Amino acid sequence: MIDLKERFVRNSFKKLMKINNPYLHSFVEKYVRLCNPDRIFVNSGTSEDLKYIREAAIKYGEEIKLKVEGHTVHFDGYYDQARDRENTKILLQKGANYGKHINWIDKEKGLKEIHEILKDIMKGKELFICFYTLGPVNSEFTIPCVQLTDSAYVAHSENILFRQGYEEFLRRGPDPSFFKFVHSAGKLDERKNSKNIDKRRIYIDLENEVVYSVNTQYGGNTIGPKKLALRLAINRASKEGWLAEHMFIVGISGPGGRVTYFAGAFPSLCGKTSTVMIPGEKLIGDDIAFLRKRNGKVYAVNAEKGIFGIISGINSKDDPVIFKALHSPGEIIFSNVLVTENGEVYWDGKDAPMPERGINHSGEWYKGKKDAEGKIIPPAHPNARFTLSLDLLENFDPRLNDPIGVEIRGIIYGGRDSDTCVPVEQSFNWVHGVITKGASLESETTAATLGKVGERKLNPMANLDFLPISIGRYVEMYLEFGKDLENLPLIFSVNYFLKDKDGKFLTEKTDKRVWLKWMELRVHNEVDAIKTPTGYIPTYEDLKRLFKEVLNKDYREEDYIKQFTLRIPENLAKIDRILKIYGNIPGTPDIIFHVLEKQKERLLKTKERLGEYVSPFDFPLTTRCHVSC
Ligand code: SPV
Ligand code: MN
């Protein structure tokens, strides 16, 4: 290694050597020799090092300063705007049978290919070596990570999104159990965008806990400790009996000042971040949660400490907390938005006039501009994002860094579903919830991944894109997790996207505040519910009271009926779709079929008695219950 010392800038060699970890040193050496950067910077997490990286992102043209103090913008290439599912692959031994939902490649072949691409890829560039922890430091949740990247934007984003881990590496010494990420944006064009996106690859080596990402810049493909680490974490969790989830964590306040914590899984672009941005509630995390069992209870931490959130649709009325932060000084990276001449930012759905021109992910932009395929280019990309640290938000909960985590009393699953599920519903129990709500989660595809938008797809626990193990094994893990718990979290589903026959949304964006309060009261057995074939739903009286209290709105009976009518044909069709999919997935546990068949029977029986569309008022009074019935 000593022959490489010259390339390390500003004391970086000394900083690296101070960590007494031969596994780390040999990993770094291997990839420095292979990728061959001109300069190497080691980030020890001090404010001076963080400043160096912020300035490097400007110096190398990956970010541009904006009008507001601390704000910058980064653009990804026009065709590099989302997660690349197709080229993200798990490296597995030849002949592995994980089912067609898991994208994989023969390990030997994949490693060979990626190492060939990495050869000399950083020539002429600076390599940033950064240390982070997933979860709070010094806790049973903590996973240390090292990131090697030639993108100052990636390193800068990670400094905002993750807890610094240099001290944790010093403390742990020669511990081999850290996650490793190697990223290169590859050759850049004049806009500093990855040029060779045909060679964009994200390969995940589970055995050695390494992820390689090349020829891409979009955060979901490059920010190692985020979605790349999630794959490694799910794999580890499946062996150790905990859960690594695509979930937010939020504390909902209830009567008497109590706070009840919920975790919630939603596919990307389905309202996950907006659910945790409710004024007055307590925000712990918006994207990735680790859940562990302790003394019969479930505790969770946020793997991150920041948000890489979707900006589209954010406006001052529906999202006052984020809107305020996005217009205040502070360290924020905007990506793929429209920037006006005077350094202001615009995105679709912002309550401000749309500028006529500016700069966006397509370069110089003007109203009506078309791309090479003749498609109109919107001012900002639908997957445009903002990156900020959670403590910039006024609803930030300092328990974020509690090494114990917070106790989770409810789990929520939500998808983009226009015609089947009611806005909020509680499952009968853990197994019923895991299977009919989590494992049966369907959603219409969105702009967060490359490819067609609007197709209905099964997305178990909103975690399908990140599963490195078979779906059957994953669902089994969940069922096992619930087995010896005394204080089982209740499982709910929500649906913010239900429409009427004319395609009009049946609920408003702010209504989710009411659904959350109802779930909070259910956790504490303080409201009744109506038992339907698919779960427990709220009574009209409770919602009427809550709408008044929370939103000062008069909730109409006719709206309640439209929203909470049980749609039996759509529910039956959904079960048939899910049964068919699981029927083709190797290793699906029998209980999935059993629980879904039972639900089908209940629906068919109800149809015989009450018809195809059942108003909540048509369920007999005897189906009203307090706790579980
Ligand atoms: C998501 O798409 O689910 C995100 C952003 O949270 S990404 O980092 O792209 O995964
Ligand atoms: Mn996400």
Side-chain angles (χ1 to χ4, degrees):
M1 180 91 118
I2 200 80
D3 60 308
L4 299 170
K5 193 176 167 188
E6 297 282 281
R7 303 197 202 181
F8 284 79
V9 299
R10 295 182 161 222
N11 254 341
S12 286
F13 193 71
K14 210 166 138 203
K15 284 191 267 181
L16 182 63
M17 287 305 143
K18 197 173 162 198
I19 301 173
N20 173 25
N21 190 332
Y23 307 100
L24 172 73
H25 293 163
S26 64
F27 179 77
V28 168
E29 180 174 357
K30 178 174 175 187
Y31 287 95
V32 166
R33 290 199 192 284
L34 182 68
C35 302
N36 203 8
D38 282 17
R39 294 171 301 286
I40 303 164
F41 178 76
V42 171
N43 171 19
S44 63
T46 59
S47 52
E48 202 185 329
D49 286 0
L50 302 182
K51 183 165 172 255
Y52 178 88
I53 290 174
R54 274 199 307 272
E55 287 173 356
I58 306 283
K59 181 174 85 182
Y60 291 132
E62 289 187 89
E63 289 175 36
I64 304 163
K65 280 193 181 168
L66 295 169
K67 190 171 155 190
V68 179
E69 178 65 30
H71 292 194
T72 57
V73 64
H74 162 83
F75 294 113
D76 296 300
Y78 192 74
Y79 297 101
D80 193 23
Q81 292 285 322
R83 280 189 276 110
D84 180 359
R85 269 197 187 122
E86 206 178 313
N87 288 303
T88 303
K89 295 180 183 171
I90 312 287
L91 303 172
L92 294 177
Q93 300 301 342
K94 246 189 205 107
N97 185 7
Y98 280 34
K100 75 173 171 57
H101 292 89
I102 310 294
N103 197 8
W104 68 281
I105 180 170
D106 169 49
K107 185 169 169 178
E108 212 176 299
K109 189 172 153 205
L111 282 176
K112 188 165 174 281
E113 182 191 358
I114 202 87
H115 282 80
E116 276 167 16
I117 299 178
L118 284 171
K119 178 128 185 57
D120 292 328
I121 201 166
M122 295 183 188
K123 224 172 168 177
K125 288 191 177 179
E126 178 161 349
L127 164 66
F128 300 89
I129 302 180
C130 304
F131 303 94
Y132 303 103
T133 68
L134 300 181
V137 293
N138 242 334
S139 106
E140 70 171 321
F141 291 98
T142 316
I143 302 178
C145 302
V146 64
Q147 170 81 61
L148 275 53
T149 178
D150 61 8
S151 163
Y153 157 70
V154 169
H156 182 199
S157 300
E158 292 179 358
N159 286 340
I160 294 175
L161 293 171
F162 297 93
R163 298 160 178 100
Q164 292 298 324
Y166 183 74
E167 296 294 326
E168 186 79 8
F169 272 83
L170 287 182
R171 191 165 36 238
R172 287 188 183 222
D175 174 0
S177 67
F178 54 94
F179 289 174
K180 303 165 269 301
F181 306 100
V182 181
H183 165 252
S184 172
K187 278 215 168 53
L188 302 178
D189 63 16
E190 63 288 349
R191 295 197 80 215
K192 307 295 173 197
N193 289 145
S194 298
K195 217 169 173 172
N196 299 327
I197 55 165
D198 57 316
K199 288 240 151 35
R200 178 169 53 201
R201 300 285 183 273
I202 298 109
Y203 283 180
I204 298 150
D205 178 354
L206 298 176
E207 227 170 299
N208 298 303
E209 300 189 312
V210 188
V211 184
Y212 307 92
S213 159
V214 290
N215 294 314
T216 173
Q217 282 159 315
Y218 170 68
N221 296 325
T222 58
I223 297 172
K226 198 170 180 63
K227 291 308 195 325
L228 311 187
L230 181 56
R231 277 91 165 191
L232 302 179
I234 294 171
N235 187 53
R236 237 195 223 189
S238 74
K239 292 180 183 147
E240 298 176 351
W242 50 280
L243 300 174
E245 296 300 306
H246 192 203
M247 281 182 175
F248 67 59
I249 305 172
V250 67
I252 302 297
S253 55
R258 74 178 172 223
V259 177
T260 308
Y261 287 95
F262 289 80
F266 296 55
S268 315
L269 252 168
C270 291
K272 186 149 57 68
T273 302
S274 67
T275 304
V276 294
M277 288 301 162
I278 295 176
E281 309 298 11
K282 293 193 170 293
L283 162 69
I284 299 262
D286 88 316
D287 200 36
I288 300 171
F290 293 168
L291 282 70
R292 282 181 179 266
K293 296 191 276 194
R294 201 182 302 129
N295 307 326
K297 296 176 177 170
V298 176
Y299 288 85
V301 296
N302 180 1
E304 317 176 274
K305 70 149 190 87
I307 294 188
F308 177 53
I310 289 159
I311 204 162
S312 171
I314 288 180
N315 63 70
S316 58
K317 180 176 151 272
D318 297 324
D319 316 277
V321 177
I322 309 184
F323 199 84
K324 189 169 162 207
L326 294 179
H327 290 84
S328 310
E331 192 174 351
I332 302 178
I333 310 173
F334 292 84
S335 50
N336 307 313
V337 292
L338 180 75
V339 177
T340 63
E341 218 173 45
N342 50 7
E344 281 169 4
V345 168
Y346 179 82
W347 59 84
D348 298 295
K350 179 175 177 171
D351 38 355
M354 183 170 110
E356 295 286 316
R357 51 186 61 252
I359 300 174
N360 74 359
H361 58 293
S362 74
E364 289 284 338
W365 179 87
Y366 47 87
K367 221 169 154 181
K369 183 177 177 185
K370 290 183 179 162
D371 66 13
E373 286 90 42
K375 272 208 334 247
I376 291 274
I377 303 173
H381 192 275
N383 196 28
R385 295 196 175 236
F386 59 91
T387 303
L388 55 72
S389 181
L390 288 170
D391 53 12
L392 283 191
L393 300 164
E394 62 193 25
N395 57 340
F396 160 73
D397 184 346
R399 287 199 65 192
L400 168 73
N401 288 319
D402 189 338
I404 290 172
V406 293
E407 191 193 344
I408 297 296
R409 303 294 307 274
I411 291 180
I412 306 169
Y413 294 105
R416 198 171 275 266
D417 160 17
S418 53
D419 63 5
T420 309
C421 299
V422 295
V424 63
E425 184 175 58
Q426 182 196 333
S427 70
F428 297 128
N429 52 48
W430 179 264
V431 174
H432 177 252
V434 166
I435 293 171
T436 67
K437 307 222 171 282
S440 302
L441 187 65
E442 282 186 315
S443 197
E444 288 144 32
T445 49
T446 70
T449 52
L450 299 171
K452 229 177 167 181
V453 167
E455 277 179 282
R456 181 151 35 196
K457 291 252 169 75
L458 177 72
N459 190 348
M461 284 72 174
N463 220 356
L464 180 64
D465 285 358
F466 316 110
L467 286 189
I469 56 175
S470 75
I471 300 181
R473 170 75 196 109
Y474 176 63
V475 177
E476 232 164 26
M477 252 169 76
Y478 252 91
L479 296 170
E480 278 163 27
F481 188 79
K483 264 183 191 153
D484 46 358
L485 284 173
E486 281 162 31
N487 233 346
L488 275 165
L490 303 185
I491 298 184
F492 299 91
S493 58
V494 293
N495 180 12
Y496 304 155
F497 300 92
L498 190 66
K499 291 179 180 170
D500 63 14
K501 278 193 228 75
D502 305 324
K504 220 177 100 250
F505 284 114
L506 281 173
T507 55
E508 289 192 28
K509 265 180 145 185
T510 45
D511 292 355
K512 57 171 82 72
R513 301 181 189 186
V514 173
W515 316 143
L516 285 162
K517 293 292 192 200
W518 181 77
M519 290 185 264
E520 202 277 339
L521 293 170
R522 280 301 286 172
V523 165
H524 297 279
N525 288 323
E526 288 171 10
V527 275
D528 287 349
I530 300 166
K531 190 176 188 182
T532 80
T534 51
Y536 302 116
I537 60 169
T539 66
Y540 173 63
E541 302 84 76
D542 287 324
L543 288 185
K544 187 174 158 64
R545 179 174 55 81
L546 286 171
F547 265 92
K548 195 72 199 166
E549 273 173 30
V550 179
L551 299 172
N552 194 24
K553 237 165 91 172
D554 292 316
Y555 185 55
R556 296 181 313 176
E557 214 174 271
E558 60 188 275
D559 289 331
Y560 172 69
I561 294 171
K562 277 188 201 152
Q563 293 165 358
F564 287 91
T565 285
L566 174 67
R567 303 173 178 212
I568 294 182
E570 286 82 355
N571 269 282
L572 287 171
K574 171 176 169 157
I575 295 179
D576 285 340
R577 281 194 300 276
I578 308 278
L579 282 170
K580 194 166 159 213
I581 297 172
Y582 276 107
N584 287 318
I585 296 177
T588 299
D590 284 344
I591 188 151
I592 293 193
F593 302 110
H594 178 74
V595 168
L596 289 171
E597 290 291 357
K598 280 265 177 250
Q599 181 129 318
K600 195 168 159 180
E601 275 170 33
R602 284 193 299 274
L603 283 161
L604 288 169
K605 269 201 195 124
T606 306
K607 187 169 110 175
E608 264 171 41
R609 273 190 302 124
L610 302 169
E612 289 193 320
Y613 294 90
V614 188
S615 153
F617 289 114
D618 290 346
F619 289 102
L621 277 178
T622 50
T623 60
R624 288 200 160 209
C625 40
H626 199 55
V627 193
S628 296
C629 51

